[in-house]
Amino acid sequence: MELPIPYGHQYISDDDIQAVVSTLKSDYLTCGPAIPEFEKVFAEYVNAKYAVAVCNATAALHIAAMALGVKPGDNVICTPLTFASSANCIRFCGGNVKFVDIDPETYLLDINKLKETLAAAPKGTYKGMVLVDFAGYPHNMEEYRKVADEYGMWILEDACHAPGAWFTDSTGEKVYCGSGKYSDITVFSFHPVKHITTGEGGMACTQNKELYDKMALYRTHGITRDISKLQRQDGLWYYEMQELGYNYRITDMQAALGTSQMKRARKNVEIRRELVKKYNDAFKDIPGIKTPYEASNVYHAYHLYIIQVEDRLGLYNFLRENQIFAQVLYYPLNLMPYYKNLGNKEGDLPVVEEYYKHCLALPMFPTLTKEQQNLVIEKILKFLSR
Ligand SMILES: *Cc1c(COP(=O)(O)O)cnc(C)c1O
């Protein structure tokens, strides 16, 4: 059996390698045809109308926040249970981040606390919200949309954990994370630890043509060559920089890797869900361990399988001694020194703090073998029965 066992690992097939090699031998290493192709297959996968591929999800969040019009002084709501970029993208644009506590079952931003926060401030105080489909759990975005509409807010969905996840809305429709039925923009990451990898990479999806055009412009310096958009006519060499953008492009090698990975994406979520079933069954009647919640109208993508245990440090160390590298995700973002310096403090958000004390992400990736998973389960049961 292969040891140590990490909490997540990429899955690269021979076909994936071949796709990258072919691209290296082609005429384009960047700005070539592999990029729109990847955007197309990814958009189909998440049921999006438009997709913009970029160099990582942090860049995707940044151009999303720019396209949504975040300006210095704008107030935006964000979950504290996430990777730093979900909130940082608001700071990049000079906005203020207001953290709202999580729900203790789903670990998503608590919709009741959201409503309380909005009701307690004058209308118009908050311009939008960043919602994170934490661990792969899709929000019931229909409910959040109702709240957002009531207050005239936009929704930026960080679905870095959730490609392939969906929930059923009140019309009975399967709503994929990324479809944009209820969110304005949805962002994904292709970092090696995520479901689909391009080494580094990200995608921003939307149904809104205007937001799409803006993001495509910000991805590449704010420069356009589209004749219909140019302010003057000149030779075919002529382009215009119309806004201040960045170089957030992805390469053709990365895009080709992504397209190749997409062929196994749906299947890999199924494999993850099989692993979940096995973990859940093993821990079902064991006191002292809480397994993840999943509502009946939800298809959770399980980027992470997170348990809650009383003695988290003890279990973490015990697993490590046995070459099992479980992981703790995340330390509350509002308590990171940077955000503390902006006025956040311990005790502000008790639910996420309690979550953090007990959470542990167990190994969860499609190539985790039966023997490896058995070992993880055996060691956890052994620790809990001491
Ligand atoms: C990984 C991740 C990001 C950042 O993704 P990068 O591609 O590394 O920039 C942002 N948000 C969440 C929730 C993530 O898990």
Side-chain angles (χ1 to χ4, degrees):
M1 181 188 333
E2 205 167 326
L3 293 172
I5 307 172
Y7 84 99
H9 196 267
Q10 71 269 22
Y11 175 11
I12 304 290
S13 72
D14 288 343
D15 282 354
D16 291 349
I17 293 167
Q18 209 42 59
V20 174
V21 171
S22 310
T23 311
L24 279 167
K25 291 178 177 169
S26 77
D27 290 334
Y28 291 95
L29 303 186
T30 189
C31 302
I35 294 155
E37 191 188 342
F38 180 38
E39 289 170 341
K40 184 166 174 280
V41 293
F42 190 84
E44 276 165 18
Y45 182 66
V46 301
N47 206 14
K49 192 158 180 192
Y50 303 105
V52 182
V54 287
C55 54
N56 55 60
T58 305
L61 285 161
H62 186 190
I63 58 172
M66 287 171 75
L68 291 165
V70 178
K71 291 186 304 300
D74 282 359
N75 298 305
V76 174
I77 295 205
C78 187
T79 174
L81 183 56
T82 186
F83 183 67
S85 326
S86 316
N88 290 356
C89 66
I90 304 305
R91 301 291 302 144
F92 295 161
C93 299
N96 304 317
V97 178
K98 167 75 174 172
F99 292 103
V100 170
D101 214 347
I102 59 164
D103 177 283
E105 296 304 320
T106 62
Y107 309 143
L108 306 180
L109 187 126
D110 186 325
I111 196 162
N112 293 317
K113 298 214 171 93
L114 170 69
K115 288 177 187 166
E116 283 166 23
T117 304
L118 296 175
K123 233 175 174 165
T125 299
Y126 296 100
K127 303 279 190 243
M129 57 183 97
V130 183
L131 301 176
V132 179
D133 299 306
F134 179 74
Y137 197 115
H139 288 80
N140 183 330
M141 212 46 99
E142 188 177 16
E143 291 177 351
Y144 290 83
R145 183 80 254 173
K146 268 184 215 147
V147 179
D149 285 348
E150 193 183 332
Y151 288 88
M153 296 164 74
W154 46 256
I155 297 178
L156 172 50
E157 182 178 5
D158 179 341
C160 286
H161 297 181
W166 49 264
F167 79 99
T168 315
D169 71 4
S170 63
T171 69
E173 186 184 326
K174 262 192 202 176
V175 180
Y176 279 89
C177 294
S179 74
K181 183 167 182 186
Y182 300 107
S183 335
D184 295 282
I185 297 175
T186 308
V187 164
F188 298 90
S189 170
F190 309 123
H191 180 277
V193 90
K194 311 291 162 74
H195 286 71
I196 297 151
T197 191
T198 59
E200 295 276 2
M203 193 78 83
C205 296
T206 184
Q207 276 202 359
N208 182 312
K209 176 78 164 58
E210 208 174 307
L211 293 175
Y212 167 73
D213 286 343
K214 282 185 181 167
M215 291 194 290
L217 203 60
Y218 298 142
R219 163 174 63 183
T220 177
H221 311 282
I223 286 176
T224 185
R225 292 176 176 276
D226 183 341
I227 287 171
S228 68
K229 292 193 181 123
L230 298 177
Q231 293 179 10
R232 49 168 289 177
Q233 298 303 320
D234 218 330
L236 285 175
W237 63 83
Y238 180 72
Y239 62 78
E240 276 175 5
M241 184 198 135
Q242 297 181 334
E243 296 215 40
L244 185 61
Y246 297 82
N247 181 351
Y248 280 167
R249 293 188 302 260
I250 191 169
T251 67
D252 277 55
M253 291 80 80
Q254 291 169 308
L257 175 56
T259 301
S260 181
Q261 291 252 312
M262 291 310 298
K263 296 190 187 116
R264 302 193 304 282
R266 199 87 63 198
K267 173 92 190 304
N268 285 345
V269 181
E270 281 298 314
I271 295 172
R272 285 171 185 270
R273 292 177 59 86
E274 287 301 317
L275 296 170
V276 168
K277 238 183 248 165
K278 183 156 168 176
Y279 276 139
N280 282 347
D281 284 348
F283 303 141
K284 196 169 49 194
D285 301 317
I286 310 296
I289 183 164
K290 185 178 163 194
T291 56
Y293 171 76
E294 182 174 349
S296 60
N297 69 332
V298 153
Y299 183 84
H300 192 315
Y302 290 104
H303 163 53
L304 303 170
Y305 180 87
I306 294 181
I307 57 167
Q308 295 260 320
V309 285
E310 187 54 38
D311 181 10
R312 193 268 309 281
L313 179 62
L315 178 58
Y316 173 87
N317 286 335
F318 180 76
L319 291 175
R320 227 182 139 100
E321 283 157 24
N322 286 284
Q323 302 236 55
I324 298 164
F325 289 76
Q327 183 62 290
V328 173
L329 300 145
Y330 292 99
Y331 183 77
L333 187 53
N334 57 313
L335 299 182
M336 286 290 181
Y338 173 81
Y339 283 104
K340 269 179 135 175
N341 286 338
L342 294 174
N344 299 288
K345 60 182 190 309
E346 269 96 7
D348 285 348
L349 306 177
V351 182
V352 73
E353 287 185 34
E354 188 63 17
Y355 160 88
Y356 172 72
K357 281 184 199 145
H358 302 292
C359 68
L360 195 62
L362 303 185
M364 169 57 61
F365 50 94
T367 52
L368 183 72
T369 66
K370 200 183 225 177
E371 292 72 31
Q372 287 176 317
Q373 193 181 18
N374 286 343
L375 183 75
V376 175
I377 291 169
E378 180 198 316
K379 295 300 176 192
I380 291 172
L381 295 181
K382 185 166 172 203
F383 178 85
L384 290 172
S385 64
R386 291 193 311 187

